[in-house]
Every structure is written in structure tokens, then in C-alpha cells.
Amino acid sequence: MKAKLMDMMQKFSKAMFVPVLILPIAGLLIAIGNIFTNPRLIAQFPFLDNPFTMGFGSILSAALLPILTNLGVIFCVGIALGLARKKKAEAAFTALLGYLVFLFAMNKFLDIQGMLVASDSLRGSGQTMVMGVQVLDMGVFLGIILGVIVALVHNRFIDTNFNNAFQIYGGARFVFIVLIPILVASAILSSMVWPIVQHGIDALGLVIQQSGNFGVFLYGFLERLLIPTGLHHLVYTPFLYTSLGGVAEVGGQVFEGARNIYFAEIADPAVNILSNSVIWDARGISKMFGLIGACLAMYQTARPENKMKVKAILIPAVFTSFIAGVTEPIEFSFMFVAPLLFLLHATLSGLSMVALNVLGSRAIGPNGFIDFLLYNLPLGVEKTRWPVYIGVGIVFFFIYYFIFKFIITHFNLQTIGREVDSDKETKLYSKKEYEQMKAAGSPEQGSKDTKLGETIVKGLGGADNILTIDNCYTRLRLKIKQPDLILEDVLKNETGAKAIIQNGENVHVVYGLEVGQVRENLENYLGRNSESEE
């Protein structure tokens, strides 16, 4: 039961990536649009004061801001797409249809029951307009719930087919037929139950808010600590995109969640409401500064004969962490060989958020330095206090460095470059492995593709041992029939894997940003379609 529950949570966590990874793109483009319309920047750079650039910036921000006000449908379609085992396009289309059915069913039920409030009295009523339909304000939770429902029904009935005259009602059409009564019943039930649920959510957000710095620390601590399970997305997503992370009104519209409030603030620089966020996305301290100090400590504590190799391995990982906010190549280098360091890393990550909260900085850099520049500079120093963020980051660089160095040497931890047994060397990338990864996407390297795919299959215990293949941002996610057949040395030394995480039948093989190419290579070798996991 525990393994099954963990499997379900990991699949859901992975599915959340589909909508979540799109939202920062919208936020970045909103920030770019705001650069061309920000009065402070225009005052400093007069060449921006012209109809073309100001018009472009206004259109760009206005075009993308509705994404933040329609998160429900985005999460509904994205989660259904992510959880569908096959025919994902049909699942996404059905999710969109199901979302509309639910909205109009709830609206009609509220109307029949006389529960609809006047359209000019929505504020504070618990109701809102969603895609032009007045319903209960379920926020992004509505999309999450409906996405899961659609995916479950889709996976159960997508293979249903009929004969003769009923043949056209099979497959995705039958899924939609089954969904209609489920969605109507869900709309009616939600109309009666959701006000109670919303009260509980508001109470939880209030508890976290009243917990002050402890709540902030717990958020940052758990967001890092759960990385090995792949469930850390379940920690930050509700706070960034639901009322748990705060509620604020910007430009006459109500926004829920720390990230949404931040994006809205970017689009409307005339207001200053960032302090209304219970939690904000300050995770970049450990990514941009802390882990760099950790890498310096690991380099300086490496054996002298290994330092050149360690430097070649760590520098690309440091650059990726600082610029793009991808930390797993570094974290997996010490997560399993020195769990104490990973626990320390999670603790320091939480403390860095507390430090920013105490000093009143609301700057963010969730995906590295590029995000930091685009999100914070347009808002100015007064609102974000981004120089404080830089100062705190520098302090935590030294904290990470000295503490990591002390613990590594005091406990003689076998971090990268300190291994006694060279055959069990912990590593991130070698040049040869990097070339293998590049070859996975090169059409001129057919023989190398075949060799790499063959080696991965060998490391996973053979083709028959691989039940399902999937991936997230940096990991190959697999379901394995017999996990004890996995050859970790083969996967690490011959395919470039940085870590292998096993939890029963669920196995994660960490490759980094090239994981998409690795998955495609593996599926091509096995002759499996990425749209189907059979």
C-alpha cells in the first residue's frame, strides 16, 4: 500500500510539471513587457519613451496576464495530459470539455438553489467569474481536482470500443460520455462542500501566516528535503498558486498565491502589495549562492590528485545552478554519499528564506540569475529590496562553504573527489558522457544512439524488466518489474546517470537537462511510443 501510494504521488507530482513549467514563461514575458512600460526605467533610459516600445510592452503584459487569472483550466488540462497513460492529446481535449461542463453545471445549480450573488457583489462572497461563468471561487484547486478526475476516467475507459452502429462512441468519446454525469454530480457536491473546504484552507494559510518565520522555514526546509522523492513540487505549488500563499487585489482583480501576486505586481507597478504574500518564491538563495559555496568546499576538500577532474565536473554544475536554477547535479553528488550534508542543505535553504523575511526583501530568483534580473529589476529597489537578496546570498555562500568544509573534513565524508574506491566514484558529468548525451539527439549518430539505448536497457535489467517509461525535468522515471536486476554501475559509468533512486518498483534515474533526449533514445531503441506506456 505504501509503495502504491508513493507511486501515485510521484505520478501526480510529475503531472504538475506540465502547467507549472509554463507559468514562469508567462511571468518572464510579463516582466519583459513591464521593462518597456516601467516609469522608473523610462526615466533612466529616455529612448524607451516612444509609442512603439511602450505599445509593445503594454500588449505583451496584457496578453499574458490572463494566464494568471485562468489557472484552473490550465491546471485541469495540464494535469490530465500528464497523468494520461496513452492518447494524451485526447485526454487534454476531454479535460477542456469537462472543465466547461463543470462550470456551467455548478452555475445552473447555484442559480436553481438561489445561491448566486449579484454580479456587482462578488468581492468577499466566495464566488467569482471563471471564463465568463459565475461559480464558487475554487481557484486552482478546481483545475487540479478536475484534471485528476478526467485522467482517472480516461485511463480506465480509453480502450473501450463497440461494434456496429455504436462504434463511433468508443475511445475518447466514451470517456466523455462517462465523464458527464460524474462532472455534473461533482459540481453539485462541490457547491455544498467547497465553502467548508475553503474555510479550512483559509484557516491553514492563517496558521502559517501566524507562525511567522517558523512557517517560512518549514516551507523552505521541506521544499528541499523532499527532492529525493520527487514530491517537493507538492510543497511549493499550493503556496505559489493558491490562497495558501496569500490573496491580494491588483488592478481590480483578485490574485491568489505568492507567484501570481508577484506576476500581477510586475504587470501593475503602481501598486505595492507584495507584503500580502504569506510565502514568496525566495528559493534562489541556495541555488544561486549556497550550493556554489558547497561546491567550493567539495573542491578544496578533494584529494590533490583529483582536483583537476573535480573542477572540470563541478564548474558546469555550478554554472547551471547559478544561471538556470537546476540544482540536482550538485545535490545528487552528495545526497546519498553524505546524507548529513543534504539535511544541512535543506535546513540552510529554510533559514535563507527566514533571513530574507526578517530583512524585508521580496526579491525572487527561483530559476537562477536570469529570473532574478527579469523579475526584480523592473519592480525597483523599493518594492523588492533586491540588494538585500544579493547580500543575504553572499552571506549564505560563506555559511555553506565553511560548514560544508568543516563537516566533510571532520567526518571524513566521501564527497566528490574524496572517494577511496575509484570504481565507486561519485560524479556528475565527464566529457565522454556529455558527448554520449549529445549523440542521443543527433541523427548522424545512429550507431551511438543504438549503443546508448542498449546500455541503458542493460543497466535496467533488460527490456522485459522495464514496465513504463516517463520523465520529468531532470529524471527518467521508470516502473521496473524486478528492481534488484538494476546495474547501478552500468547506468552511472556508461550512460552518464548521476544518481539512481529506488522505491519499490518506482525507479528514478537522474540525467539532468538531457533527460528528454535520453528518454527518446531509450524508447526508440525499445520501439515504444512515448504516447503510450504499456
Side-chain angles (χ1 to χ4, degrees):
M1 178 61 71
K2 180 180 178 181
K4 186 176 181 180
L5 179 62
M6 182 62 68
D7 179 40
M8 293 172 58
M9 293 181 67
Q10 288 177 339
K11 287 181 178 178
F12 178 72
S13 177
K14 181 261 178 184
M16 292 284 281
F17 255 108
V18 179
V20 165
L21 290 181
I22 290 297
L23 298 178
I25 298 175
L28 287 172
L29 293 176
I30 289 173
I32 293 173
N34 187 57
I35 289 175
F36 294 106
T37 58
N38 192 307
R40 299 186 188 90
L41 291 179
I42 292 176
Q44 296 178 10
F45 304 100
F47 68 89
L48 293 176
D49 189 8
N50 65 82
F52 178 78
T53 57
M54 293 183 67
F56 171 76
S58 299
I59 293 172
L60 189 62
S61 297
L64 290 164
L65 191 60
I67 292 177
L68 307 184
T69 59
N70 291 282
L71 289 179
V73 66
I74 293 173
F75 271 80
C76 177
V77 174
I79 288 176
L81 175 69
L83 289 178
R85 290 196 293 265
K86 59 176 61 176
K87 296 185 178 178
K88 293 178 178 289
E90 286 91 333
F93 179 65
T94 304
L96 177 60
L97 297 179
Y99 192 82
L100 295 174
V101 169
F102 183 96
L103 290 181
F104 281 91
M106 174 177 279
N107 175 267
K108 180 54 67 175
F109 179 78
L110 293 175
D111 185 28
I112 293 173
Q113 296 297 313
M115 298 170 62
L116 287 177
V117 302
S119 58
D120 58 353
S121 304
L122 291 177
R123 186 175 301 172
S125 67
Q127 297 182 16
T128 188
M129 300 296 293
V130 179
M131 300 181 70
V133 184
Q134 185 174 334
V135 292
L136 292 179
D137 188 4
M138 299 178 66
V140 74
F141 287 107
L142 173 59
I144 294 174
I145 294 168
L146 292 185
V148 172
I149 291 175
V150 170
L152 291 175
V153 176
H154 174 88
N155 290 336
R156 174 66 178 82
F157 294 104
I158 189 61
D159 290 325
T160 302
N161 292 300
F162 301 100
N163 297 321
N164 303 324
F166 294 99
Q167 187 173 2
I168 62 172
Y169 298 109
R173 288 166 291 278
F174 185 68
V175 171
F176 183 59
I177 293 172
V178 173
L179 271 172
I180 292 174
I182 295 175
L183 293 171
V184 171
S186 299
I188 295 173
L189 182 63
S190 298
S191 300
M192 297 182 289
V193 173
W194 184 255
I196 302 174
V197 175
Q198 185 62 54
H199 179 73
I201 293 173
D202 293 340
L204 179 58
L206 183 62
V207 168
I208 294 174
Q209 189 175 36
Q210 292 177 342
S211 298
N213 290 322
F214 176 75
V216 173
F217 167 78
L218 193 61
Y219 168 79
F221 175 76
L222 292 177
E223 191 273 332
R224 289 290 93 187
L225 191 68
L226 292 177
I227 280 181
T229 67
L231 303 180
H232 53 298
H233 318 296
L234 302 183
V235 174
Y236 66 77
T237 300
F239 286 97
L240 298 189
Y241 302 110
T242 76
S243 58
L244 284 177
V247 179
E249 182 179 342
V250 183
Q253 291 183 309
V254 176
F255 292 87
E256 296 182 346
R259 182 72 73 86
N260 296 334
I261 294 173
Y262 205 99
F263 287 164
E265 171 85 350
I266 289 175
D268 190 354
V271 295
N272 186 12
I273 42 74
L274 288 180
S275 60
N276 289 350
S277 297
V278 177
I279 298 290
W280 78 107
D281 204 358
R283 296 174 293 154
I285 289 292
S286 62
K287 297 179 179 183
M288 292 170 55
F289 299 97
L291 286 177
I292 298 177
C295 285
L296 180 59
M298 288 189 286
Y299 167 73
Q300 292 199 342
T301 56
R303 298 176 183 276
E305 64 272 19
N306 293 333
K307 282 195 172 184
M308 288 300 295
K309 184 174 183 179
V310 171
K311 182 190 296 185
I313 292 171
L314 287 180
I315 287 178
V318 165
F319 181 82
T320 303
S321 179
F322 182 78
I323 296 295
V326 177
T327 60
E328 286 183 324
I330 299 174
E331 289 165 333
F332 280 102
S333 71
F334 60 80
M335 182 184 296
F336 299 105
V337 297
L340 177 61
L341 291 180
F342 187 69
L343 180 63
L344 172 66
H345 168 48
T347 302
L348 292 176
S349 181
L351 290 176
S352 69
M353 294 188 63
V354 172
L356 291 176
N357 191 45
V358 170
L359 297 174
S361 173
R362 283 296 186 270
I364 67 173
N367 295 307
F369 188 64
I370 295 177
D371 270 11
F372 176 82
L373 293 177
L374 291 177
Y375 285 145
N376 302 299
L377 266 61
L379 288 176
V381 175
E382 293 181 5
K383 291 184 180 180
T384 63
R385 300 191 69 186
W386 60 262
V388 173
Y389 185 99
I390 297 292
V392 171
I394 293 173
V395 170
F396 270 84
F397 166 84
F398 287 105
I399 291 175
Y400 267 80
Y401 168 72
F402 287 115
I403 295 181
F404 265 63
K405 186 176 181 180
F406 171 78
I407 292 180
I408 290 172
T409 55
H410 182 75
F411 293 100
N412 193 28
L413 300 179
Q414 301 298 296
T415 51
I416 184 169
R418 291 175 57 84
E419 308 84 357
V420 177
D421 185 353
S422 59
D423 293 335
K424 296 182 179 180
E425 180 181 6
T426 304
K427 57 184 178 180
L428 305 183
Y429 286 104
S430 68
K431 184 175 180 179
K432 178 181 178 181
E433 292 162 349
Y434 174 74
E435 293 299 330
Q436 286 180 321
M437 293 300 172
K438 285 184 65 177
S442 176
E444 297 93 13
Q445 300 293 331
S447 60
K448 290 185 178 180
D449 288 351
T450 302
K451 178 62 177 176
L452 181 58
E454 180 183 0
T455 306
I456 294 174
V457 170
K458 174 185 174 183
L460 294 173
D464 293 338
N465 201 37
I466 306 172
L467 299 177
T468 64
I469 304 171
D470 207 338
N471 74 278
C472 64
Y473 199 41
T474 56
R475 310 180 190 191
L476 195 64
R477 294 176 178 241
L478 308 141
K479 198 164 194 175
I480 301 297
K481 185 184 299 183
Q482 294 179 284
D484 56 321
L485 296 181
I486 292 177
L487 304 175
E488 293 196 9
D489 288 344
V490 172
L491 293 173
K492 288 183 178 180
N493 298 331
E494 299 183 35
T495 74
K498 291 178 284 299
I500 294 90
I501 307 168
Q502 297 190 37
N503 188 354
E505 294 181 340
N506 298 294
V507 177
H508 294 186
V509 186
V510 182
Y511 281 103
L513 296 177
E514 295 85 1
V515 69
Q517 294 179 352
V518 174
R519 173 183 174 177
E520 182 179 357
N521 180 274
L522 176 60
E523 288 176 328
N524 288 340
Y525 176 78
L526 293 173
R528 300 188 187 182
N529 190 325
S530 61
E531 284 289 310
S532 175
E533 296 176 1
E534 299 179 277

